[in-house]
Amino acid sequence: MCSNVVVGLPSPPNLNGTLSSPTPTNTSNAKDGDNLVMNHTGVGGGYKWRLVIAYDGTRYAGWQYQSSPPTIQCFVEKVLMQATKLERKDLSLVGASRTDKGVHAWGQVAHFVTPFNYDSIDSIHAALNGLLPSDIRVREISPAVPEFHARFSAKSKIYHYKVYNDTFMDPFQRDYAYHSAHKLNPAVMREAAKYFIGKHDFSAFANASQKERVRDPVKNIFRFDVIEMGALLQLEVEGSGFLYRQVRNMVSLLLQIGREALPPYVVPMILATRDRRELAKYAMFAPPHGLSLATVKYNEEHLRLPSGCSTTSFGRHYTIGSCKLPFY
C-alpha cells in the first residue's frame, strides 16, 4: 500500500473492499516514488492514476469535454464520477490528445486524481468498463508518479490513417478507412512522406483552431511509413506533437501524390510557404474516420509504478470451473 496518505482526507467510497482508508501520515516524510500529487493550493493530498483508453469515435464530437454533442471525455468523466463519488473538478481528468470529431483511438492516455488510494484497481477497472458505452473501453489503469502528466509528459504520438484502395469499399472497413477508388502508387507516396521527416514549421499543414492557446508551428516528425496490407494502405506517422488537423492535411497531400496528380517534391515547396492557403490549392479534405491515435509514448521514469502501490490492471479474464457431474 502506498504510504502517502494525507491527514484530513475524506473517507473513500466502498467499492467491494478495494479502497484503503486514509490513515494519518506526515507528508513531509514522503519518499521519492510515492504517489503524492499536489492540489491547486499546493497542499499534498491525492493519488494520480493513468488510463489507456480505446474508442470508436464515429458518434462522438471528439475527445475534449463538452456536454452537447457528447464527447469521449464527457463519458469517461461521468463514469469516473459514478465509480469514485467525486466531482468533475476534483478528478482533474486530462487526455494526451484532443482527437477531433469522428477520429478513433486505440491508445489514448489520460490521468485523473483521487484523494484516496486503491489497494486493488481491478474492481474499479471492471466498474468503469461496465458503466461506459460499448464503443469506449479502458484498456489499462495503473498508479502514476506525481510527475506524470498525460499531455505534457508525452514524448511522441503515433497516428494511423487507413485508406482502402479498391474499386469498391469493403463494408467492414467503411467506418475506419477512407475509400479511394483512384489507384494509388505507394512508392511515390513513400518518397513524398520522407520530406515530412525531421523538424519543420508545419504552418502550411495546420488549420486554425480556437482551442490552441499556444501554437508552436515547429514539430519534429520521427517517421512516416506507408504500409501495404492488400487493398488497405496504412499511413503511420510518429512525431513529437501535431498541430490541429496536421496529420489529415499531410495525408490529403500524399493521396494526391499517390494518384500521381502531383510530384513528391511538392511537399517541401508547400512546407516552405508556411501558408495553409497554399496547401488548399493542391489537396482536398481527408475525412476523420480514417484516422486513429495508435500510441502515446513516454519516458520510462514517467511510467514507473510508485513504490508500494497496486500493479497495473489489464482487466480480468473469466474462467469456467471444472464440471463436477459424473460422466457416463
Side-chain angles (χ1 to χ4, degrees), residues 159-176:
Y159 283 91
H160 293 175
Y161 196 97
K162 294 181 179 180
V163 181
Y164 195 79
N165 190 204
D166 208 344
T167 54
F168 62 90
M169 183 61 182
D170 180 344
F172 294 101
Q173 299 280 352
R174 70 188 187 280
D175 291 333
Y176 311 105

Side-chain angles (χ1 to χ4, degrees), residues 50-63:
R50 180 176 65 93
L51 302 172
V52 180
I53 307 169
Y55 49 84
D56 178 338
T58 302
R59 66 188 188 100
Y60 298 101
W63 163 267

Side-chain angles (χ1 to χ4, degrees), residues 1-6 9 12 17-25 31 33-36 47 49 115-120 143 305-311:
M1 174 178 166
C2 294
S3 61
N4 58 321
V5 185
V6 180
L9 290 179
T18 60
L19 301 180
S20 62
S21 299
T23 54
T25 302
K31 299 178 181 178
D34 283 346
N35 192 24
L36 180 65
Y47 298 82
W49 309 92
F116 44 77
N117 185 31
Y118 288 94
D119 288 336
S120 171
L305 295 177
S307 59
C309 288
S310 52
T311 58

Side-chain angles (χ1 to χ4, degrees), residues 94-98 111 147-157 213-214 240 296-299 302:
V94 176
S97 178
R98 292 173 288 187
H111 75 258
E147 300 81 16
F148 175 79
H149 191 284
R151 184 180 180 193
F152 298 128
S153 299
K155 184 173 65 173
S156 70
K157 298 173 186 175
R213 287 176 292 181
V214 179
S240 59
V296 183
K297 292 185 177 181
Y298 299 91
N299 291 323
H302 288 132

Side-chain angles (χ1 to χ4, degrees), residues 93-125:
L93 180 71
V94 176
S97 178
R98 292 173 288 187
T99 55
D100 204 2
K101 178 181 180 181
V103 174
H104 316 294
W106 173 248
Q108 172 73 283
V109 177
H111 75 258
F112 69 98
V113 297
T114 61
F116 44 77
N117 185 31
Y118 288 94
D119 288 336
S120 171
I121 51 180
D122 283 340
S123 293
I124 188 174
H125 192 174

Side-chain angles (χ1 to χ4, degrees), residues 50-56 76 105-110 121-122 124-126 128-129 132 135-142 293-296 312-317:
R50 180 176 65 93
L51 302 172
V52 180
I53 307 169
Y55 49 84
D56 178 338
V76 173
W106 173 248
Q108 172 73 283
V109 177
I121 51 180
D122 283 340
I124 188 174
H125 192 174
L128 294 177
N129 281 335
L132 283 166
D135 49 5
I136 306 174
R137 280 294 173 265
V138 175
R139 292 174 48 213
E140 301 175 25
I141 179 170
S142 63
L293 173 62
T295 308
V296 183
T312 301
S313 172
F314 297 98
R316 292 171 174 167
H317 284 287

